[in-house]
Amino acid sequence: MYFESKVLNVELKRAKIHYISDVVYSQVETFEKPVQLLQMDLLIPAVNKKLPAVIFVTGGGFISANRARMPQLRMFLAENNFVVGSINYRTAPNSKFPAPVEDLKSAIRFLKANAAKFNVDAEKVFVIGDSAGGYLTAFAAITNGDKIFNVGANLNYSSKILAAVDLYGISDPARIAENFPAEVQAAYNSPGAMASLFINGIAGFTGEGGVLKNPEAEKANPVNYITKNSAPMLLMHGTADNIVSPAQTDLLFQALRNGGVEAERYIVPNANHSDDYWSQEEIFKVIIEFLKKYV
């Protein structure tokens, strides 16, 4: 007896995606270690041309930098012909501001320095970050290509980017809990709060108090660095966010527009902080259309 196989005709619509993990982009010093390796995981579409690149900056409240986060968004970008590098960076309490800003700029320069190896068009680099990563993304965009916070390796390359996407990120660390209940605001301003550790370090070592009482908070406010050379930004925030006040991205949006910088902001009804809303196609489409404007 002979059995017939079914025929499946396949149309070639998408390229293979190569995954390269644990690429060391910088070696840095922390309170805990004299040498800490910073790493990047890469998604590289297998196409025969140079591609624009996105560096994804994970959130984590300044105390965690798990570069495995948000794989759906990263794969969506790769399937739309972007090379995507997801990074970790220095975190509190072993490091403090501006260390992770310096790390992000190092990652941008590393990708440009190795553009040929990773099939990247070095003139077309973007940054996307969520939560604390959105804050770092804002810093990279606002101080775009400037020598502010530019330390580390590959200094012959610019940290300039074309545009950036900030998902429910912090803008002013002293006002993270704006519009939240008084007891929540007090908790955010305690010496042990994540933003306090990020700006002041460990209170037992530095003697510093909460964010609101520390003049260092002004140095850690990206709004204070806006110039007409700042990169265009897309900002998105959920109306139900109970971790970072939606007022934070609006504060940055208003400051960018008033400073003559191209910016768009979307509010997402009912979306909370880093919940399922941020894995939906509607969100991804807005992001990809924004990036394509500058490619």
Side-chain angles (χ1 to χ4, degrees):
M1 183 178 294
Y2 178 77
F3 298 95
E4 293 232 353
S5 299
K6 296 179 180 179
V7 176
L8 178 62
N9 293 310
V10 176
E11 184 180 353
L12 297 180
K13 293 181 178 179
R14 60 174 69 176
K16 287 193 301 183
I17 307 294
H18 297 307
Y19 175 61
I20 305 175
S21 62
D22 305 328
V23 176
V24 176
Y25 75 84
S26 186
Q27 299 181 53
V28 294
E29 182 178 356
T30 68
F31 178 77
E32 183 181 25
K33 298 178 181 179
V35 177
Q36 178 180 331
L37 301 182
L38 297 179
Q39 296 174 305
M40 175 186 299
D41 294 340
L42 286 155
L43 296 171
I44 305 176
V47 299
N48 191 27
K49 62 178 181 178
K50 298 296 181 185
L51 298 174
V54 170
I55 292 179
F56 178 75
V57 195
T58 180
F62 301 117
I63 61 172
S64 171
N66 180 2
R67 64 185 185 276
R69 293 184 69 245
M70 297 189 78
Q72 290 163 294
L73 173 56
R74 290 187 286 123
M75 184 58 74
F76 175 83
L77 292 166
E79 288 181 343
N80 279 272
N81 284 338
F82 284 82
V83 174
V84 183
S86 183
I87 66 168
N88 66 347
Y89 49 85
R90 282 174 285 183
T91 55
N94 288 312
S95 296
K96 63 178 187 174
F97 177 85
V101 180
E102 296 168 353
D103 297 340
L104 174 52
K105 286 180 174 273
S106 289
I108 295 167
R109 296 195 304 268
F110 172 85
L111 204 56
K112 291 184 177 185
N114 293 277
K117 184 184 296 183
F118 300 127
N119 209 32
V120 167
D121 183 338
E123 299 301 315
K124 297 177 181 177
V125 178
F126 302 85
V127 177
I128 298 177
D130 78 308
S131 194
Y135 165 87
L136 299 176
T137 292
F139 250 110
I142 287 168
T143 62
N144 194 22
D146 287 346
K147 297 196 180 294
I148 303 172
F149 312 121
N150 262 358
V151 297
N154 299 308
L155 290 174
N156 290 331
Y157 292 84
S158 171
S159 61
K160 188 173 183 178
I161 59 174
L162 288 185
V165 180
D166 175 352
L167 303 176
Y168 43 89
I170 297 157
S171 297
D172 182 348
R175 298 165 65 181
I176 296 173
E178 192 169 61
N179 302 327
F180 288 174
E183 62 272 18
V184 176
Q185 294 193 38
Y188 270 76
N189 191 44
S190 69
M194 291 181 286
S196 289
L197 290 172
F198 171 63
I199 292 173
N200 307 324
I202 303 170
F205 291 100
T206 66
E208 301 291 353
V211 170
L212 295 177
K213 299 176 183 176
N214 193 316
E216 291 299 308
E218 283 304 299
K219 295 179 184 177
N221 184 348
V223 170
N224 294 331
Y225 298 86
I226 292 173
T227 71
K228 291 186 177 180
N229 294 323
S230 298
M233 289 192 68
L234 166 66
L235 303 104
M236 305 182 80
H237 217 131
T239 60
D241 196 321
N242 60 9
I243 302 296
V244 174
S245 170
Q248 286 282 287
T249 50
D250 187 52
L251 183 157
L252 179 54
F253 174 60
Q254 301 301 329
L256 288 167
R257 293 292 291 268
N258 285 324
V261 180
E262 291 182 54
E264 300 176 28
R265 181 175 181 262
Y266 287 79
I267 55 171
V268 182
N270 305 313
N272 203 332
H273 199 80
S274 191
D275 65 3
D276 289 349
Y277 278 89
W278 302 102
S279 298
Q280 305 310 312
E281 186 175 358
E282 294 89 339
I283 300 290
F284 294 174
K285 283 184 174 179
V286 168
I287 291 172
I288 202 74
E289 289 305 316
F290 175 78
L291 297 182
K292 285 181 177 179
K293 282 171 54 178
Y294 300 97
V295 171

